[in-house]
Amino acid sequence: EDQVTQSPEALRLQEGESSSLNCSYTVSGLRGLFWYRQDPGKGPEFLFTLYSAGEEKEKERLKATLTKKESFLHITAPKPEDSATYLCAVQEINKGGSQGNLIFGKGTKLSVKP
Amino acid sequence: ETGVTQTPRHLVMGMTNKKSLKCEQHLGHNAMYWYKQSAKKPLELMFVYSLEERVENNSVPSRFSPECPNSSHLFLHLHTLQPEDSALYLCASSQGQGVEKLFFGSGTQLSVL
């Protein structure tokens, strides 16, 4: 069973059509949840870190939120340059209290048409 | 120079070849990572180095051999690979190994024939 599940796998939007991407996770203790953006032919680029339920962070047209079971990446009035694959990753607290390494989801491929 | 630089960008090799991937970070970070990215699969952590010492090896086959000569450089030595090893290999660095954001390079797209 995947510990990090992202949905949908792919999303096609018209420019200006707001929507949300979902990242659900099943780890026993969350140390942090990360959002990355990956453009074709490039490595992932950091967007946000969220640490606790109720936390929100914003950057331009993107807003990330966190609950105890999932995170949403809200995209408001997207533009074609927002087209990319968005990756979610969680870092869990291992037994003994140490931090684990990042567990990534498979990503959501977003296409925004003009 | 960009933060994390990987060379080569593309590599085609036969199953009997030996090649090496190189990664260099210019961010003054203390931890470096190798990830494998295959189509339709999540990023898979392969190796972690912290202060030039390997701290994590996620059951990676011995045909992949990492080397970290200093905190700025990381290599992945490849030998007798299999076609299923074809993937994008990403290098990343972070300030420490806590809840730290990763800075990724652009990757090496590897094809094994």
Side-chain angles (χ1 to χ4, degrees), chain A residues 14-36:
Chain A
Q14 288 296 126
E15 184 172 2
E17 180 186 2
S18 300
S19 188
S20 297
L21 312 182
N22 177 264
C23 172
S24 62
Y25 59 92
T26 55
V27 296
S28 55
L30 180 70
R31 184 168 287 275
L33 184 142
F34 299 77
W35 282 99
Y36 287 84

Side-chain angles (χ1 to χ4, degrees), chain B:
Chain B
E1 284 283 2
T2 56
V4 180
T5 304
Q6 289 188 243
T7 55
R9 290 297 310 275
H10 302 274
L11 178 63
V12 178
M13 59 187 290
M15 293 167 60
T16 58
N17 292 159
K18 291 184 179 181
K19 297 286 184 182
S20 296
L21 310 185
K22 179 183 176 182
C23 176
E24 183 174 0
Q25 59 99 357
H26 307 274
L27 301 168
H29 288 167
N30 294 320
M32 297 187 77
Y33 310 75
W34 280 116
Y35 280 88
K36 176 182 179 181
Q37 188 173 36
S38 305
K40 305 291 186 183
K41 295 178 72 175
L43 267 74
E44 300 173 55
L45 179 64
M46 300 176 72
F47 300 104
V48 181
Y49 277 82
S50 179
L51 297 174
E52 302 154 42
E53 290 198 15
R54 188 191 303 180
V55 297
E56 185 94 24
N57 173 1
N58 273 5
S59 302
V60 178
S62 60
R63 56 185 183 270
F64 295 91
S65 175
E67 178 189 1
C68 187
N70 55 60
S71 61
S72 299
H73 293 86
L74 185 65
F75 295 89
L76 188 63
H77 303 299
L78 317 171
H79 65 96
T80 58
L81 294 191
Q82 304 298 311
E84 59 264 30
D85 296 322
S86 299
L88 180 68
Y89 288 85
L90 291 163
C91 172
S93 69
S94 64
Q95 181 61 46
Q97 243 203 308
V99 188
E100 302 282 353
K101 60 186 180 184
L102 298 178
F103 291 78
F104 285 87
S106 293
T108 295
Q109 185 65 55
L110 173 67
S111 296
V112 181
L113 304 179

Side-chain angles (χ1 to χ4, degrees), chain A residues 41-101:
Chain A
K42 294 189 175 182
E45 178 184 351
F46 172 80
L47 292 173
F48 304 108
T49 307
L50 301 167
Y51 297 97
S52 57
E55 189 175 359
E56 299 182 352
K57 289 194 176 173
E58 289 188 62
K59 179 181 179 180
E60 297 180 356
R61 295 176 293 281
L62 301 177
K63 179 180 176 181
T65 62
L66 181 65
T67 72
K68 289 186 177 181
K69 294 184 179 181
E70 58 191 349
S71 176
F72 290 94
L73 185 64
H74 307 278
I75 304 176
T76 302
K79 298 182 177 182
E81 54 261 40
D82 294 321
S83 297
T85 296
Y86 290 85
L87 302 175
C88 171
V90 301
Q91 186 175 36
E92 65 176 335
I93 302 171
N94 287 339
K95 294 178 181 178
S98 65
Q99 70 275 350
N101 291 304

